[in-house]
Amino acid sequence: MLLDPATFTSGEGVTVFPRDPNFPPDIPVGLDPPAHREYRQLLSRFFTRDAVRAWVPRLREIAAERLAGLLDAGRMEFVRDFASPYSFAAFAEVYLRVSDPGVLGDFVAAADRVVVENTEESYVGLMK
């Protein structure tokens, strides 16, 4: 599949629903070669072992903060209650440099809406 992007395209979207051609693709996962390769080359320096290792302490803090809010409930649905919000929060802080709790909460909610709805409106909400 990796060697046949014409048949196994990402350019038509990487979700269950077809991508709206009027809306930009998710970069780089929503692109096919050669654009995908070019974006990966630009982004790869942010994902080296040393670059990621530098963030481990903060990523652990984010995980602990997320878990602390869930422990009182005594149970959780892992993806909905921890994995999805943690991933969005970590991405927002590490790559978007957002740490304000209010802004971060809005971003996590908007990103979760994109995952669930995959609509143009949900993507627009993510850009606010």
Side-chain angles (χ1 to χ4, degrees):
M1 290 190 297
L2 293 173
L3 300 177
D4 187 4
T7 301
F8 301 100
T9 182
S10 295
E12 294 176 11
V14 293
T15 61
V16 173
F17 306 103
R19 185 178 72 78
D20 182 338
N22 298 315
F23 202 78
D26 296 326
I27 296 172
V29 297
L31 300 173
D32 290 322
H36 179 265
R37 188 177 313 106
E38 292 165 0
Y39 273 101
R40 280 195 56 170
Q41 288 172 341
L42 287 171
L43 295 171
S44 65
R45 68 187 173 109
F46 297 106
F47 295 95
T48 65
R49 182 178 301 193
D50 289 339
V52 173
R53 186 177 290 141
W55 282 99
V56 167
R58 181 59 190 136
L59 295 175
R60 286 186 175 150
E61 288 175 9
I62 294 169
E65 291 164 6
R66 296 271 161 204
L67 286 172
L70 298 170
L71 290 177
D72 292 337
R75 61 186 313 200
M76 72 170 145
E77 197 290 312
F78 181 75
V79 172
R80 182 194 66 226
D81 297 332
F82 177 76
S84 183
Y86 169 78
S87 299
F88 296 137
F91 174 80
E93 187 160 329
V94 172
Y95 294 102
L96 301 179
R97 305 286 197 222
V98 173
S99 59
D100 178 275
V103 173
L104 190 57
D106 291 346
F107 175 79
V108 169
D112 199 42
R113 186 173 171 217
V114 167
V115 170
V116 172
E117 298 175 14
N118 190 38
T119 63
E120 185 173 337
E121 294 80 21
S122 65
Y123 278 89
V124 169
L126 187 60
M127 304 301 167
K128 292 181 179 181

